[in-house]
Amino acid sequence: MKRNRLLIIWVLSIILGLSACSTDDSGEPVDPTDDISEPTPQPQPEPQPIDLSAYDNGNGVMMQAFYWDVEPRFGWWDNLSDKVPGWADAGIDRMWLPVATKGQSGGYSMGYDVSDYYDFGNYEQHGTVETRFGSREELENLITTAHDNNVEVIADIVINHNSGGGLEYNPYREKETYTLFDEEHGNASGMFNRNYEYFYPNSVSEYDPGSLFYEETNLDHHRDYVQEWLWKKDNSVAKYYQNVMGFDGWRFDYVLGFEPWVVKAWLDEVGGFSVAELWDGRASVLRDYVNETGSGAFDFATFYKLEEGLDRHEDLNRLNDDMLWKTHPEKAVTFTANHDTEKDSNEDNYIKSSNKMKAYAFILTHPGYPTIFYSDYENPDFQEEIKSLIEIHNSIAVGETEVLYVDDDEYVMKRSGTDTNPGLILYISISNSTKRRTVSSNWNNVTLMDYSGNSTYNPTSDENGAVTIEAPANGYAIWSITE
């Protein structure tokens, strides 16, 4: 019995020895101490953004280079000269200057009380030589600096009302009026001298379109003399600004104060970029104006829909209403703030600071020519975000526009891109929580990212382009493809 037990032990030891010497699929022996478990999954690389600079689409952005009552007085032109190179690097291609000539308020004037159209800070009148913004030499240096940085300079043109002339008896009003503009009375340059015959009413014009400002000095554009000095003569306001001062285009102030044919005649004579301040929130009115004049117009329809949707009514359905850019994108100059809206005490005329970036995200992803307000860009809380939005606008904000979804607190819009440009999807939310929504994109089996940097989510579209994107609480995201 004992010998049988020893035999059994010997056989078992041989079997165990053979089993400890297994082979892999190639037949080679495998060390029993080797780890032959499944390999540990390796982390997937983070999606990489596309190089937006490779998608330069030729778009640009205009800077409104002032706010109401800018400081420092007499140093504004130099201040802007220092900022122009940085603006150009950020993608700004035009800047709109305040009225550059002497107003009745002299060194305190923002220029809208225009007195001498040819005094750029080089004549002693109204208590100062320099304008509020500085000297003529400093203005000329600013314009040169802008052109050296491929930035066009837009002049603010006030051709409705004048201010700062001398008193004279006006037989058409049967009283004394401040309608005498000559070398001793508010027009030291001696160019475009005026008297009561060139303001409404006069010997040939009884019609007075009226004015919210200085109605007794409302220029009559039907008078040949006025037309000659404003745009026809070789040294007219238009040609002097263009050919001598170097301005590249025009922002027409308060065009409700004169007929549309005036702007058309000006542009037919001298051309140049043009945008009219027609303060009306109806897209149909703006549309009629640009068709009649050939000028662009500030898209007040978009401004008010943004204010209503984000602020007043908190209903993003308003963002799907009629706006000028929908029919005339090349003529619609969009904006979220300007010198008037920011100083206006009417809360329905400005967009709250807490909603500004959502408004900028809208105008910088939709068609139209966006304007950045100086005070917003120079706000350290906003600047980097605005720079990022400008980069997106000047690269992937292209293609047909389609609203994919809209309700009271969500708005999703797609730019279709082109054969060589991926386009984008904008998702705005005014909800207090993160929102996600599945939409139809133009991208199949592609991982996306938010180029605004407001979301770290990286969804992947399916084979049909369907993808679930998100918007942060009370914020926005801008989706496009990754490498």
Side-chain angles (χ1 to χ4, degrees):
M1 278 305 280
K2 182 178 180 181
R3 195 166 66 182
N4 288 340
R5 285 198 301 268
L6 291 173
L7 179 62
I8 291 170
I9 292 171
W10 178 75
V11 171
L12 288 173
S13 65
I14 292 174
I15 293 172
L16 290 172
L18 290 173
S19 65
C21 190
S22 60
T23 60
D24 62 14
D25 291 341
S26 66
E28 294 295 322
V30 176
D31 187 331
T33 62
D34 287 347
D35 183 2
I36 58 172
S37 61
E38 289 294 325
T40 302
Q42 296 300 308
Q44 294 299 308
E46 288 290 323
Q48 295 301 304
I50 56 175
D51 178 7
L52 294 182
S53 66
Y55 293 92
D56 183 356
N57 57 25
N59 286 345
V61 174
M62 182 162 69
M63 175 69 75
Q64 179 179 356
F66 63 101
Y67 55 91
W68 199 257
D69 288 343
V70 299
E71 296 288 350
R73 289 192 306 119
F74 310 119
W76 193 249
W77 298 146
D78 285 344
N79 170 59
L80 297 184
S81 293
D82 291 341
K83 293 185 181 298
V84 164
W87 290 353
D89 288 344
I92 303 295
D93 68 339
R94 289 190 179 101
M95 65 174 180
W96 156 29
L97 297 187
V99 183
T101 51
K102 194 72 61 64
Q104 181 182 12
S105 303
Y108 293 91
S109 173
M110 285 297 294
Y112 292 96
D113 53 346
V114 61
S115 181
D116 189 335
Y117 285 97
Y118 295 86
D119 181 359
F120 293 92
N122 49 308
Y123 292 97
E124 172 68 54
Q125 57 183 333
H126 298 306
T128 181
V129 174
E130 293 189 350
T131 68
R132 182 187 190 104
F133 313 112
S135 68
R136 174 172 176 151
E137 181 181 2
E138 291 164 349
L139 172 60
E140 291 172 332
N141 177 65
L142 168 60
I143 294 171
T144 297
T145 300
H147 290 165
D148 288 346
N149 285 274
N150 298 313
V151 175
E152 290 190 357
V153 184
I154 307 306
D156 204 320
I157 300 297
V158 181
I159 54 175
N160 166 236
H161 52 273
N162 291 173
S163 183
L167 271 174
E168 62 179 350
Y169 181 74
N170 184 338
Y172 305 105
R173 292 188 179 267
E174 298 182 343
K175 64 177 183 177
E176 288 192 325
T177 54
Y178 290 94
T179 47
L180 179 61
F181 291 81
D182 59 21
E183 288 88 335
E184 287 76 40
H185 303 92
N187 201 51
S189 69
M191 301 173 74
F192 193 18
N193 283 336
R194 287 144 278 161
N195 61 33
Y196 59 75
E197 278 290 354
Y198 306 113
F199 302 97
Y200 289 111
N202 53 58
S203 59
V204 298
S205 299
E206 293 184 4
Y207 167 70
D208 184 352
S211 174
L212 291 175
F213 315 97
Y214 321 111
E215 66 176 20
E216 294 176 350
T217 51
N218 186 12
L219 279 169
D220 180 1
H221 302 94
H222 295 91
R223 301 302 303 261
D224 288 340
Y225 179 84
V226 174
Q227 294 180 26
E228 289 290 326
W229 272 106
L230 284 182
W231 66 82
K232 289 183 176 179
K233 292 163 61 82
D234 286 345
N235 61 346
S236 64
V237 171
K239 292 177 183 176
Y240 192 93
Y241 283 37
Q242 186 179 69
N243 301 327
V244 177
M245 298 303 296
F247 285 102
D248 304 288
W250 326 101
R251 180 266 185 186
F252 289 102
D253 179 66
Y254 188 59
V255 298
L256 290 171
F258 51 92
E259 298 96 326
W261 67 264
V262 174
V263 170
K264 185 177 188 308
W266 180 297
L267 296 178
D268 286 346
E269 187 72 27
V270 297
F273 172 85
S274 170
V275 57
E277 184 207 25
L278 176 55
W279 198 313
D280 197 303
R282 294 169 294 177
S284 60
V285 173
L286 299 171
R287 194 171 292 122
D288 289 344
Y289 189 87
V290 301
N291 285 334
E292 187 170 356
T293 63
S295 173
F298 284 112
D299 194 346
F300 278 91
T302 294
F303 171 77
Y304 279 113
K305 294 309 174 186
L306 286 167
E307 187 278 324
E308 292 170 5
L310 296 171
D311 283 355
R312 196 185 323 177
H313 302 296
E314 295 185 345
D315 180 4
L316 297 190
N317 287 293
R318 305 284 177 138
L319 304 189
N320 203 28
D321 288 349
D322 193 16
M323 305 178 196
L324 180 60
W325 63 262
K326 291 190 174 184
T327 56
H328 293 71
E330 74 288 353
K331 297 294 186 182
V333 180
T334 53
F335 67 102
T336 68
N338 64 33
H339 59 296
D340 285 320
T341 65
E342 292 293 296
K343 72 179 177 65
D344 197 322
S345 59
N346 183 348
E347 65 179 11
D348 292 342
N349 279 341
Y350 69 85
I351 295 171
K352 294 175 184 175
S353 179
S354 58
N355 287 320
K356 276 282 184 71
M357 290 301 101
K358 292 189 286 293
Y360 274 115
F362 186 95
I363 69 170
L364 286 160
T365 54
H366 285 70
Y369 183 53
T371 303
I372 308 298
F373 183 49
Y374 177 94
S375 298
D376 289 338
Y377 188 85
E378 294 301 322
N379 182 338
D381 293 334
F382 292 162
Q383 187 173 103
E384 291 307 313
E385 194 167 352
I386 292 176
K387 283 183 179 180
S388 176
L389 288 169
I390 293 173
E391 183 180 28
I392 290 168
H393 173 266
N394 291 356
S395 56
I396 56 176
V398 294
E400 295 298 316
T401 306
E402 179 184 357
V403 175
L404 300 178
Y405 183 82
V406 63
D407 63 16
D408 58 346
D409 63 358
E410 294 177 74
Y411 176 86
V412 187
M413 179 278 298
K414 177 174 70 176
R415 297 296 297 273
S416 64
T418 66
D419 290 342
T420 57
N421 192 309
L424 58 79
I425 296 177
L426 169 70
Y427 192 173
I428 298 176
S429 170
I430 57 173
S431 169
N432 290 326
S433 60
T434 298
K435 289 278 192 174
R436 287 192 178 181
R437 186 160 296 281
T438 301
V439 297
S440 176
S441 77
N442 291 348
W443 313 304
N444 301 335
N445 300 314
V446 176
T447 299
L448 310 183
M449 70 179 298
D450 168 25
Y451 281 80
S452 74
N454 293 328
S455 172
T456 58
Y457 177 52
N458 293 118
T460 299
S461 59
D462 68 16
E463 66 276 10
N464 298 312
V467 61
T468 300
I469 57 175
E470 75 173 21
N474 199 27
Y476 68 91
I478 300 172
W479 301 94
S480 194
I481 64 173
T482 57
E483 292 284 4

